C-alpha cells in the first residue's frame, strides 16, 4: 500500500500583499485551470479550464522541488537548518526577505535569495541531474537564452516550465514518497510547506507562485501575471493533490498567486464535498 507523507497541520500566515495603488485591478479572477486528483490512486476528481496541459513557468511553486533537492543533497538539514543570515548587499525590496532565513521561513515568505543560494551551492551539473531524475516539467534549466543564468533564473519566467497536470503528477509522487531520492528528504520537503485550515475540516498544505508572462517576442510583459497555488488537502484519512493556475489577461493589483490561493481555499469545501468524492 502506498503511504502518503502529509504531516500533521499547523497554521502559517501568508506574506502581506504589497501593491502599487496606481495599478488598476483589471485582470480576470477566473482560473484557467483547476485540477484535483486522488493522491493515492491518481484518479482525476476535477479538471476544469483550458490550460491544464499548458506548460508555464512554475515560479515559487518550484521551491517544493528545491526543498526535495536540498534535503536529499544534505544542503538542508531540517525545518530550521541551515539558518542563513541576510546579506545587505542583496538589497532586496521586500522587508520579510531581509532577515535570517531557514527552510520554514524560506517557504512561508517565499524568499528568492535562499533558493538561489541553494542552487548556487548545488552547481549546474548537480542541479540539472536532479531535475532530470525527478522528471520535473520540461526539465530545461538552461535559463534565459544567451544569459547563462539557469542556476538563478530557470524557474522564474524562463526556460523551466510545467503544466498543471504535470504539477499534479509531481506532487502525487512526492506525497507518496515515490521520487528517486531518500524517503526522509521527501517527508521533510512536504513538512516545511505552509499549512492552512479551511472549512469542513480540510487541512491544506501548499505553495504559491507568481511571476510575469512572456510576450510572443520573448520579452517580459509586466502588465500580466501568472499565479499558481499547488499542494495537498487532507481530511479523515483522504488526501488529494491540487493545482490552480490563473493567467492574467490584464493588469492586476497584488500578486495573482494570492488570488489563486485564496479562491481555491474558499472553493475546496465545495469541490471536495462528500458527494463529489465518491
Amino acid at each position: 500500500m502506498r503511504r502518503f507523507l502529509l504531516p500533521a497541520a499547523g497554521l502559517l500566515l501568508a506574506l502581506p500583499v504589497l501593491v502599487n495603488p496606481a495599478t488598476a485591478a483589471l485582470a480576470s479572477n477566473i482560473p484557467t485551470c483547476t485540477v484535483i486528483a486522488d493522491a493515492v490512486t491518481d484518479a482525476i476528481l476535477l479538471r476544469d479550464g483550458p490550460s491544464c496541459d499548458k506548460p508555464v513557468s512554475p515560479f515559487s511553486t518550484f521551491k517544493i522541488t528545491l526543498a526535495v533537492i536540498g534535503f536529499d543533497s544534505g544542503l538542508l538539514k531540517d525545518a530550521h537548518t541551515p539558518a542563513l543570515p541576510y546579506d545587505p548587499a542583496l538589497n532586496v525590496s521586500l522587508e520579510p526577505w531581509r532577515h535570517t532565513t531557514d527552510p520554514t521561513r524560506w517557504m512561508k515568505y517565499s524568499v528568492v535569495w535562499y533558493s538561489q543560494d541553494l542552487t548556487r551551492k548545488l552547481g549546474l551539473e548537480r542541479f540539472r541531474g536532479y531535475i532530470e531524475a525527478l522528471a520535473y516539467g520540461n526539465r530545461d534549466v538552461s535559463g534565459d537564452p544567451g544569459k547563462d543564468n539557469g542556476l538563478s533564473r530557470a524557474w522564474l519566467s524562463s526556460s523551466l516550465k510545467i503544466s498543471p497536470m504535470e504539477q499534479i503528477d509531481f506532487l502525487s509522487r512526492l506525497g507518496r514518497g515515490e521520487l528517486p531520492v531518500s524517503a526522509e528528504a521527501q517527508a521533510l520537503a512536504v513538512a516545511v510547506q505552509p499549512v492552512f485550515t479551511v472549512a469542513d475540516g480540510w487541512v491544506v498544505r501548499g505553495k504559491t507562485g507568481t511571476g510575469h508572462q512572456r510576450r510572443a517576442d520573448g520579452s517580459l510583459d509586466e502588465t500580466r501575471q501568472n499565479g499558481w497555488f499547488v499542494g495537498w488537502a487532507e481530511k479523515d484519512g483522504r488526501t488529494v493533490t491540487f493545482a490552480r493556475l490563473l493567467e492574467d489577461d490584464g493588469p492586476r493589483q497584488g500578486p495573482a498567486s494570492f488570488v489563486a490561493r485564496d479562491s481555491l481555499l474558499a472553493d475546496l469545501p465545495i469541490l471536495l464535498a462528500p458527494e463529489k468524492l465518491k
Side-chain angles (χ1 to χ4, degrees):
M1 180 177 179
R2 290 177 291 189
R3 175 171 167 263
F4 196 80
L5 300 175
L6 189 72
L11 182 63
L12 292 177
L13 299 178
L15 177 66
V17 180
L18 302 176
V19 303
N20 178 355
T23 302
L26 300 178
S28 169
N29 287 340
I30 300 173
T32 56
C33 179
T34 302
V35 183
I36 300 176
D38 187 284
V40 174
T41 67
D42 286 332
I44 300 299
L45 306 175
L46 172 71
R47 174 178 167 144
D48 182 54
S51 296
C52 293
D53 291 313
K54 180 180 178 180
V56 300
S57 177
F59 303 112
S60 284
T61 66
F62 187 60
K63 287 183 173 69
I64 299 174
T65 310
L66 286 177
V68 172
I69 296 170
F71 285 117
D72 188 68
S73 66
L75 291 172
L76 304 181
K77 306 298 184 182
D78 57 42
H80 298 292
T81 311
L84 303 180
Y86 169 65
D87 180 358
L90 294 173
N91 194 30
V92 299
S93 59
L94 294 179
E95 193 281 332
W97 293 4
R98 298 195 293 267
H99 295 269
T100 295
T101 298
D102 62 20
T104 299
R105 185 179 180 88
W106 171 41
M107 293 295 168
K108 178 179 179 179
Y109 292 108
S110 210
V111 182
V112 171
W113 66 257
Y114 197 94
S115 301
Q116 293 168 334
D117 182 86
L118 178 61
T119 54
R120 178 181 57 81
K121 289 172 179 173
L122 279 169
L124 186 57
E125 184 176 349
R126 291 179 74 195
F127 183 42
R128 181 182 289 117
Y130 267 113
I131 298 306
E132 286 286 345
L134 296 173
Y136 184 87
N138 68 352
R139 312 182 194 187
D140 184 352
V141 295
S142 59
D144 298 334
K147 295 189 177 180
D148 192 28
N149 62 1
L151 270 178
S152 60
R153 298 289 304 177
W155 62 96
L156 300 170
S157 299
S158 189
S159 59
L160 189 62
K161 294 179 173 59
I162 191 168
S163 71
M165 290 300 295
E166 289 171 329
Q167 290 266 27
I168 291 291
D169 172 71
F170 178 79
L171 293 169
S172 295
R173 288 186 289 129
L174 169 57
R176 295 193 300 258
E178 294 177 353
L179 298 178
V181 296
S182 73
E184 182 182 18
Q186 294 176 80
L188 287 168
V190 175
V192 296
Q193 302 308 314
V195 178
F196 309 86
T197 54
V198 296
D200 294 341
W202 284 95
V203 176
V204 174
R205 187 175 293 269
K207 187 71 190 73
T208 54
T210 298
H212 293 117
Q213 298 178 28
R214 292 275 183 184
R215 298 185 181 92
D217 65 2
S219 62
L220 276 181
D221 184 351
E222 296 187 359
T223 68
R224 293 186 303 146
Q225 301 178 49
N226 282 347
W228 285 102
F229 186 50
V230 306
W232 308 266
E234 183 181 43
K235 177 183 177 183
D236 298 333
R238 180 78 182 269
T239 304
V240 299
T241 53
F242 62 81
R244 172 162 283 184
L245 173 64
L246 195 158
E247 299 173 287
D248 282 346
D249 52 7
R252 172 180 300 282
Q253 184 180 37
S257 64
F258 288 4
V259 178
R261 178 198 63 199
D262 295 346
S263 63
L264 186 66
L265 291 175
D267 290 346
L268 275 178
I270 299 170
L271 298 176
L272 299 177
E275 63 272 15
K276 296 189 178 183
L277 290 179
K278 294 178 181 178

